[in-house]
Each structure stands twice: as structure tokens, then as C-alpha cells.
Amino acid sequence: MSVLPAHEVGLVLDGKAYLGWTAVSIERSLDNMVGSFSLALAAKEKTGAEDWPIKGGDACQIVLNGETLITGYVDAVQRRLAGDDRGISVRGRDKAADLIDCSAIHKPGSWSNQKLEAIAKVLAAPFGITIDVSGSTGAAFKKFALQQGETVFAAIERMARYRGLVVYSPGDGSVRIGPADRGERTGQITEGVNVKSAEGTDDVSERFSEYLVKGQAAGDDQRHGKVVSQVKGTATDSGVTRHRPLLLIGEEQSDTASLKKRAAWEAAVRSGKGKPLDVEVPGWLTDAGKVWSPGARAACDIPSCKVSGDLLVQSVTLARNETDGTVTSMTLVPPEAWSQLAEPEEKV
């Protein structure tokens, strides 16, 4: 495949790139493990050129500026006719879509003393999808069992939650398990420089002045009575100035340290999620010449929305159409909105 123009989206099938799309939408998000794309080309008249041999189910890649954004399959192809006008639309998703669509069927349906990545690799292998791990996945599961009817992704994502991790696709057809925040800066978003529109929100409706998490711990000869029956942890949110307490019940067999961690996590995540920034910038590339992507941070300076500092890119939509031209729409949040806390494992 030859080098593609920097600002052209290429749909690559069998090493051949199809270009010239008049309408483009490519979506990638931390909220959704798979990226998706929609491409359209409208011609005012039939030129006599050979019809593009694109069909549903084709393996493909979406390439932009030398970066592979999606490695997956064509979900659907539509061909249109209206008088002399012709058109074709193609949409598809990342390879990992099969893990979202398909049920987790495996014998045996349970594992003992296996680590997260080992179980995930077994579940993903029939689909030809590799599992990559970023950082530690913690201890092996004493027992993990599939739930009747759950999808492959649901099973993998459930294990990831138990270890305080997220599951996402880096665009190369694999599935990565690790932290949501890659800890790298992807570009700058500056009012008066590259902001077409922006909307910053400060929503305190789900925030509270104090978080109190109560739980119980198992007693023994040294620790008993109130010491174990009334363990608790607290945290405050200085951004909430009126009295708004929230009591949460922790899991069984808690201790003070874990409950304090849970309370602090609730305060941080709720605060972060209450401050989203929706912004639209021209073009598809950062000031560093990279395609905007989720999981990286952007240095934001938008005084009109009272936004200043690094925010985490949560979702990205790269679009091109006749009305808006070539733009990138993003939702960014404070990094603490995606801080992770391992959930307690279900009893099996």
C-alpha cells in the first residue's frame, strides 16, 4: 500500500486503499471498547469507473495520517441510485466488536487460580483477537466463572473491574487491559487558536460535601465488637459548600483503610464526571501532527468556559461533511473522572 495523503481517510482492504470519501465519521471512546466508522461517497453521475468491490464482512483498516485508527470489519455497504446520481456508504467496527456481539461459550466455564490475562486470552482466542496488558493485573482469581448468556466482552470487562482496570481497543485489532489514562499529552486546545466551539459544564447534582462509607470486618480473638462491626471511612469534597452528606454501604469484610479509599474515590470520580468539556476543533490532527485519540491528555485553555489545565480525552469523533467541513469533536474530563477502584469479586 502506498503512502496516503495526510488528510485523507483510507479504507484499506487487501492492501488497497479507497479514498475520496465526501462524508466521514470515525468514533473512538473510553466508554466503548470498539471504534466505529461510517464513510460515504456521492457522485453526481456514473463515471463508468469500476465499481468498488466492497462487501459486508470484509476485513479492513481505517488509516489516517499514517496511523491505523481501526482494524476490523465492514458491517454494511449501501449503494444508492437516484436518477444519474450514484453513491456508496460503508460502515464498520473494530475487530473487537465480535467480543461485544458474541456470547462467551467455553468448556469448562470456570477457572481456578488463573490471572485475568490468561482467562481473557482463552476467551478471545477463537475470534483471532490478541490480549495486551498495560501494567499489572493483580493477583490470580481464586475462582472465576462465566455467567449464563454473558458476552465475551462482559466477562473480560467484569474481571477488569475486579482489578480496577478498563478494557479498550488501541486500534490495531487487539484488546488492551490497563488504566484509562495513558499519562501522555496529545495536544493543545486553546481559545482563539483552534477552538470552533466549546461547552464546559459544572454539574454538582451528583456531588456531595461528605462521603461516609460503612462496612463490617471479620472478628477474631484480638479484634471484636465495635472495632470490626462499625468500621467506616470518610472523605470530603471541598467544591460542595453546603451540607450534602452521602452514606454508602461497603462490601462485607471491609477495613478502615479500604473504606477510606472507597470514600475518596467516590469524591474524586463524582467531581471529575461533573466537569465535562465538549469541544470542536478544526481538522483531525493535534499541533504535534497526531490524530486526536482518547486516553491521552490535552492542555486546555478556554477562559470563556472557565477551563484551564490538562483534561483527559474521553471520546473523539472525526468528521467531514459538506456543512461543517473537517472537524474533530471531543468530550474531555478531569483525569480523576477515570480513576479506577477495584470492585469486590462476586462469590462463586
Side-chain angles (χ1 to χ4, degrees):
M1 183 181 66
S2 59
V3 177
L4 305 183
H7 295 278
E8 281 292 332
V9 169
L11 172 67
V12 181
L13 295 91
D14 293 327
K16 181 177 180 180
Y18 296 87
L19 308 173
W21 305 100
T22 53
V24 172
S25 178
I26 303 168
E27 299 183 15
R28 303 171 71 197
S29 173
L30 293 176
D31 293 309
N32 190 346
M33 184 177 71
V34 301
S36 63
F37 67 89
S38 175
L39 310 173
L41 174 63
K44 291 300 182 182
E45 60 183 12
K46 187 167 178 61
T47 63
E50 181 182 355
D51 190 22
W52 286 353
I54 303 171
K55 62 182 184 301
D58 280 347
C60 67
Q61 290 179 312
I62 297 296
V63 179
L64 172 61
N65 194 44
E67 299 181 46
T68 300
L69 306 184
I70 294 176
T71 300
Y73 302 102
V74 173
D75 278 335
V77 180
Q78 292 179 316
R79 289 178 169 83
R80 301 180 305 279
L81 165 66
D84 291 332
D85 293 349
R86 303 291 190 273
I88 182 173
S89 298
V90 183
R91 58 180 172 85
R93 293 175 294 166
D94 193 281
K95 202 173 179 182
D98 286 346
L99 304 188
I100 289 180
D101 297 344
C102 300
S103 300
I105 301 175
H106 188 272
K107 292 184 179 181
S110 63
W111 293 261
S112 298
N113 299 316
Q114 293 289 315
K115 289 180 70 69
L116 188 163
E117 58 267 36
I119 302 172
K121 287 177 181 178
V122 169
L123 293 174
F127 301 91
I129 296 173
T130 59
I131 300 293
D132 292 328
V133 174
S134 175
S136 172
T137 59
F141 290 102
K142 292 182 179 179
K143 185 80 171 180
F144 180 82
L146 297 175
Q147 296 177 350
Q148 193 72 17
E150 75 177 333
T151 64
V152 179
F153 169 71
I156 296 175
E157 197 263 346
R158 182 159 55 94
M159 289 190 290
R161 291 202 315 270
Y162 294 154
R163 296 295 181 260
L165 302 170
V166 297
V167 184
Y168 62 97
S169 173
D172 59 4
S174 68
V175 166
R176 186 164 297 164
I177 301 173
D181 185 357
R182 298 200 302 268
E184 64 183 48
R185 179 177 286 179
T186 186
Q188 298 183 346
I189 301 175
T190 306
E191 183 174 344
V193 177
N194 65 339
V195 175
K196 292 192 67 174
S197 66
E199 183 176 277
T201 301
D202 183 12
D203 185 350
V204 299
S205 61
E206 295 297 324
R207 295 171 62 183
F208 297 86
S209 58
E210 181 181 12
Y211 297 85
L212 173 61
V213 185
K214 289 186 175 181
Q216 291 184 335
D220 53 32
D221 291 341
Q222 285 74 42
R223 301 172 68 252
H224 52 82
K226 291 184 178 181
V227 174
V228 295
S229 65
Q230 297 182 9
V231 291
K232 64 180 180 181
T234 61
T236 59
D237 183 344
S238 60
V240 180
T241 56
R242 67 184 189 272
H243 183 60
R244 279 177 55 82
L246 180 66
L247 172 63
L248 300 166
I249 304 301
E251 303 299 326
E252 294 181 4
Q253 309 310 318
S254 303
D255 56 35
T256 300
S258 65
L259 295 180
K260 284 184 177 179
K261 188 176 181 180
R262 164 74 185 281
W265 177 81
E266 288 281 353
V269 170
R270 288 170 181 265
S271 174
K273 288 186 175 181
K275 299 175 182 177
L277 171 69
D278 294 307
V279 64
E280 184 177 87
V281 300
W284 291 330
L285 306 182
T286 70
D287 49 290
K290 297 292 185 179
V291 180
W292 290 101
S293 64
R297 300 186 183 194
C300 299
D301 184 14
I302 309 177
S304 295
C305 295
K306 298 187 181 299
V307 172
S308 179
D310 279 9
L311 295 180
L312 182 67
V313 181
Q314 177 173 279
S315 64
V316 174
T317 299
L318 309 174
R320 174 180 289 161
N321 57 57
E322 293 182 356
T323 303
D324 301 316
T326 300
V327 297
T328 299
S329 300
M330 289 177 279
T331 296
L332 303 96
V333 292
E336 55 267 28
W338 276 91
S339 61
Q340 302 296 307
L341 182 67
E343 295 184 7
E345 297 177 37
E346 298 174 2
K347 294 181 179 179
V348 180

